[in-house]
Amino acid sequence: MSMIFFACVVRVRDGLPLSASTDFHFDQDFLECRKRLKVLSSILAQYPSRGTAKGRDLSIHFLSSGDIACMAICSSNYSTIMAFCFLEELQWEFAASYDTTSISLASRPYAFLEFDNVIQKVKCHFNCASSSQTKANWEKIEEELKFQPPVQLQLEDTELMNGMTNGGHAGVHVEVGKLLLHTGDIPTYRMQRVTPLGILSLVLNIMCGALNLIRGVHLAEYSFQEDHEGIGNVIAFLLPFLACVFQCYLYLFYSSARKVKTFVLFFSVCLCNVYLYGLRNLWQIAFHIGVASLSSYQILTRQLMEKQPDCGV
């Protein structure tokens, strides 16, 4: 049967498994393939970002980008193009769910086990997908693979199994041209273009941050010398300054849990400005909250660029 049997996400630098699908295959060929996948995952850093290890009945496909790599065990007659469509979809979902810091700090296997639900869902979609659903992107992916073909490995190669004991060097014969790593071979996750309104929100945010910093520093000098009870006001000025800085960062760069972080920053600005009533008049408070509202709206509406390819899933 032509299908995807197993998929997992691993950390490239050491092969640590981060998440995997739940499999119920116990035949000897599959278990042997799982062992080879584990060994291959520990030496992925030696290979280009796309690769395929072909076997008689089962094949391993892998796609790495940055800190993570997605790997899949498929039947050997399963389309290579479809396999890489699946891996790119999986990689996109994982990158949208977890940031690089949490991935780097993961210390135990399957630290993101809850992602198993996503893997199962995507795997089911691709196993059930018809040719008409993938036809739109088929030619595009096929052209990409022709231009930047995946490195070809032999699943039965005993050197692959000895890779860890031989210092992590796998004796696999590949063409030099297939070992070249091209920038375009690595999927990137880019934000949509910055809009004029977004630029305005950045300028206003920087201005509000500067005002908060200046007022906070001046008030701190006075408070530490004479009025020790004014420390709360100093904090209420400096917190919005930090919030403005992080709002600019969230607008310019992608981060996981953006919505939660945006609302936390917005409410921090609102609470601090309400606390400062008396040191600021209503118009000043309204201005700062208005700028925070505009920045929050711009952060939430600036999304990742549409992923390519999605293979109709």
Side-chain angles (χ1 to χ4, degrees):
M1 182 182 294
S2 177
M3 65 182 297
I4 302 166
F5 292 106
F6 173 80
C8 64
V9 182
V10 302
R11 190 164 61 192
V12 172
R13 75 167 186 260
D14 54 8
L16 180 73
L18 302 175
S19 189
S21 62
T22 304
D23 62 271
F24 302 98
H25 307 285
F26 301 105
D27 59 278
Q28 192 59 38
D29 288 343
F30 178 78
L31 295 177
E32 186 69 21
C33 194
R34 281 287 305 271
K35 291 179 183 178
R36 294 176 185 272
L37 180 144
K38 183 177 180 181
V39 175
L40 179 58
S41 69
S42 66
I43 53 175
L44 283 178
Q46 300 180 22
Y47 297 108
S49 58
R50 282 192 180 115
T52 296
K54 284 283 187 181
R56 186 183 63 181
D57 299 316
L58 298 172
S59 295
I60 299 172
H61 303 278
F62 64 85
L63 175 68
S64 59
S65 175
D67 296 330
I68 66 166
C70 295
M71 308 182 73
I73 296 177
C74 309
S75 53
S76 291
N77 59 348
Y78 189 77
S79 166
T80 301
I81 298 174
M82 283 287 287
F84 282 107
C85 286
F86 165 73
L87 292 176
E88 286 196 10
E89 175 77 12
L90 206 59
Q91 194 171 71
W92 175 273
E93 294 287 351
F94 193 87
S97 302
Y98 306 102
D99 55 35
T100 54
T101 303
S102 59
I103 295 170
S104 299
L105 294 177
S107 57
R108 57 183 177 83
Y110 305 105
F112 309 107
L113 189 60
E114 67 279 2
F115 190 70
D116 152 78
N117 294 327
V118 179
I119 297 177
Q120 292 291 113
K121 179 181 176 182
V122 178
K123 182 161 71 80
C124 181
H125 271 301
F126 273 85
N127 280 337
C128 300
S130 63
S131 58
S132 60
Q133 290 178 291
T134 60
K135 186 177 180 180
N137 293 296
W138 185 275
E139 292 182 0
K140 183 177 183 299
I141 303 304
E142 187 177 32
E143 190 65 27
E144 286 184 3
L145 293 180
K146 284 181 180 178
F147 182 68
Q148 297 165 340
V151 61
Q152 297 295 320
L153 312 177
Q154 289 300 318
L155 196 57
E156 290 81 7
D157 196 330
T158 56
E159 290 295 320
L160 183 60
M161 290 300 294
N162 295 328
M164 294 180 70
T165 57
N166 291 335
H169 297 287
V172 181
H173 299 285
V174 294
E175 296 179 14
V176 175
K178 292 180 180 178
L179 288 174
L180 294 177
L181 183 60
H182 299 278
T183 304
D185 201 26
I186 301 176
T188 56
Y189 305 102
R190 296 183 178 180
M191 305 291 291
Q192 293 175 347
R193 290 182 179 275
V194 175
T195 62
L197 191 58
I199 295 174
L200 176 63
S201 71
L202 287 174
V203 173
L204 293 175
N205 227 343
I206 293 171
M207 185 173 70
C208 288
L211 290 173
N212 286 318
L213 180 62
I214 293 170
R215 291 289 301 275
V217 170
H218 286 176
L219 192 59
E221 293 176 352
Y222 173 75
S223 298
F224 290 135
Q225 293 176 2
E226 300 182 22
D227 182 18
H228 296 286
E229 296 180 356
I231 301 299
N233 293 329
V234 174
I235 295 174
F237 275 116
L238 294 181
L239 276 181
F241 160 70
L242 294 175
C244 289
V245 172
F246 281 113
Q247 279 187 322
C248 291
Y249 175 83
L250 286 178
Y251 178 73
L252 293 173
F253 304 103
Y254 176 76
S255 174
S256 60
R258 293 174 75 230
K259 185 178 293 186
V260 175
K261 294 174 183 176
T262 300
F263 281 117
V264 169
L265 294 174
F266 174 71
F267 284 119
S268 298
V269 172
C270 292
L271 289 174
C272 289
N273 275 280
V274 170
Y275 181 84
L276 290 171
Y277 180 67
L279 292 177
R280 277 181 173 158
N281 58 41
L282 289 175
W283 288 107
Q284 291 172 324
I285 292 173
F287 174 73
H288 282 270
I289 293 178
V291 171
S293 301
L294 175 63
S295 297
S296 299
Y297 174 76
Q298 290 300 307
I299 292 170
L300 295 176
T301 54
R302 188 177 185 226
Q303 302 297 325
L304 287 169
M305 291 181 67
E306 184 180 355
K307 57 182 179 290
Q308 291 292 336
D310 61 8
C311 298
V313 177

